Structures are given as C-alpha cells and as structure tokens.
Amino acid sequence: MADGGLARRAAFDRCRGGEHRPVEVDVVASVLDHVCSVGLPIGVVVFAPAVMQACAGRVHVTDRTVGGRVFAALAERSVEIDLAAVRACHVVRSAAAHGPTSALELDDEDGRCVAVITQFGMVGEDVHGT
C-alpha cells in the first residue's frame, strides 16, 4: 500500500467477488452509532506514511463534536475522525474465509486511504441475535 491504496482501488473491479462504491462521508458517524447500539465489535485501522495503528472491540460510546469530528470509545481505546478532512468514503466488499465482508475506507484529499473501519475475525451468534 505504498501508494495509499490508489492502484488497488483502480484494479478492484477486476477482483473476483469484490466491489466498491462511494458513499457520503456522513455515513461514518451513523455506522459508528449503529455498531454501538447493537454491540457489534469492529476494527479501526489508521494509516500514515511508514506506520499503521489498529484497535478492535465493541464501541461503548459515540459523540459528534463541534467542527465535524466524530468520536468513538472502542474497547480501551478511542478514535476521533475529522470528517471535514475526509474527502471520500467507499464501502468495499470482498470475499473472506467465511463469506463476504465489508469495510468503510476513508480517503484524504490526495485519494489515499487513511483509515478503514471493518471487522477483524468472526462475530459470535450473540451479536447476530440483536
């Protein structure tokens, strides 16, 4: 991902079982609110040149702050996303070991993927019952 995912996204339509589509950036806050309300564990990965940081768990609380930021308390961590700095957002579906999986990819002004919100691993039956 040396180019921030630009080549991967350009070739994604050719991948078997994969698809992507742009969505409004505001959907990020709604997704975080939803996973918080149903107790769905998620993973958040943030990319920067030469570094990546990841955290995973259930979202305990979400909040929207003045200036277009969204905050989520995730397990023992927290993430704050400046939605005003996110220039594009894509839902990406791809084939995984146990069926299709989806992720939200957030792009900066240069079209580089700077964050991904998805699931890491399987989700227990207790989550599907909510």
Side-chain angles (χ1 to χ4, degrees), residues 32 42-46 52-63 70-80 120:
L32 292 172
I42 62 168
V44 178
V45 182
V46 178
M52 177 213 59
Q53 183 171 2
C55 62
R58 295 183 190 271
V59 177
H60 300 289
V61 66
T62 62
D63 193 15
V70 63
F71 169 85
L74 184 73
E76 292 81 36
R77 310 280 187 260
S78 64
V79 64
E80 187 172 355
F120 300 146

Side-chain angles (χ1 to χ4, degrees), residues 34-96:
H34 175 72
V35 298
C36 180
S37 71
V38 300
L40 183 68
I42 62 168
V44 178
V45 182
V46 178
F47 304 98
V51 69
M52 177 213 59
Q53 183 171 2
C55 62
R58 295 183 190 271
V59 177
H60 300 289
V61 66
T62 62
D63 193 15
R64 296 174 201 192
T65 63
V66 176
R69 293 179 183 264
V70 63
F71 169 85
L74 184 73
E76 292 81 36
R77 310 280 187 260
S78 64
V79 64
E80 187 172 355
I81 301 168
D82 182 0
L83 295 179
V86 176
R87 296 295 183 249
C89 184
H90 293 83
V91 172
V92 178
R93 286 183 54 87
S94 57

